[in-house]
Amino acid sequence: MIKNFKNIEYLKFGNERQKLAFSEIKKHKILEKLEKYSPILTGTIPIEVDLPESDLDIICECQNHSEFKAYLLNQFSDKKDFKVYSIKQNGIESTIAEFKTDNFLFEVFGQNIPTEKQNAYRHMIIENRVLNEKGNEFKQRIKELKSNGIKTEPAFAKLLRLDGDPYAELLKLEK
């Protein structure tokens, strides 16, 4: 099934964890607060390959990292275990805020790249398509690998027999 990942309404009709994620995002008005940064929920929960400890990843487009950092501080610093920092990821300036709500760890991730062009979103779209093509047994094998400590993209790369950097190789499967 093709989901519109840009609108989290699909979570309301998903598994228990997805429904919980939906209510938590709504309760804390996470996407509303991030609206001007074109937020998209990415990661394992939307595509149902999450583990109990999986966080909610929200990617954002930010042109100005110091402004974005100040905004995140203003909006979320009252949340449990809040921290915000900047790093270079694949040579790209990235600002990240982490905090906890009742049921989830959130990671808000900002880059000066439109959200639909960020790797987290691109990987999720590819992984979702592969899961739909390969079926439930494949999905269970991904979850098994993940529960043994293998990250999502390397797990997909292993089962799809992709050689090289799993993050780069997965992007080659884009249609």
Side-chain angles (χ1 to χ4, degrees):
M1 176 174 95
I2 307 282
K3 288 181 192 163
N4 175 9
F5 288 109
K6 292 177 231 148
N7 179 340
I8 65 163
E9 290 294 308
Y10 68 89
L11 293 172
K12 287 198 297 196
F13 310 101
N15 63 31
E16 289 312 304
R17 194 139 152 88
Q18 289 177 321
K19 289 175 187 167
L20 184 61
F22 179 83
S23 68
E24 198 96 344
I25 289 166
K26 288 295 190 188
K27 176 183 173 186
H28 295 279
K29 297 181 168 48
I30 307 289
L31 295 180
E32 289 88 331
K33 291 176 179 177
L34 294 169
E35 191 174 8
K36 64 180 175 179
Y37 297 104
S38 308
I40 300 177
L41 176 67
T42 61
T44 58
I45 291 172
I47 60 172
E48 300 178 62
V49 291
D50 53 299
L51 299 176
E53 64 274 12
S54 294
D55 60 2
L56 287 169
D57 297 308
I58 298 174
I59 59 170
C60 296
E61 177 183 2
C62 68
Q63 270 92 39
N64 181 323
H65 287 275
S66 53
E67 175 199 288
F68 185 57
K69 204 183 263 188
Y71 184 79
L72 293 170
L73 196 65
N74 179 280
Q75 294 297 315
F76 303 112
S77 62
D78 61 330
K79 303 285 185 238
K80 189 174 190 276
D81 296 342
F82 175 85
K83 62 181 168 196
V84 63
Y85 54 94
S86 292
I87 59 167
K88 285 241 190 266
Q89 190 173 65
N90 300 323
I92 300 162
E93 174 90 13
S94 308
T95 295
I96 300 163
E98 294 175 12
F99 56 87
K100 288 182 181 150
T101 57
D102 305 332
N103 299 292
F104 290 97
L105 168 65
F106 279 83
E107 188 175 279
V108 178
F109 181 90
Q111 289 185 326
N112 187 6
I113 298 174
T115 44
E116 289 175 48
K117 293 189 174 3
Q118 289 185 31
N119 286 350
Y121 181 75
R122 294 168 63 204
H123 284 145
M124 181 179 69
I125 296 301
I126 293 163
E127 290 160 0
N128 185 59
R129 190 189 75 235
V130 168
L131 290 169
N132 287 331
E133 289 167 3
K134 302 274 187 197
N136 236 356
E137 189 183 312
F138 185 87
K139 183 183 276 189
Q140 290 314 313
R141 289 172 60 206
I142 292 286
K143 287 174 97 166
E144 230 169 80
L145 288 172
K146 286 177 57 62
S147 62
N148 290 324
I150 297 177
K151 293 216 169 270
T152 308
E153 285 77 4
F156 272 86
K158 181 178 174 77
L159 292 185
L160 295 171
R161 294 184 174 85
L162 304 176
D163 292 326
D165 173 5
Y167 298 89
E169 292 304 311
L170 258 182
L171 292 176
K172 293 178 183 174
L173 301 179
E174 241 169 353
K175 285 192 174 167

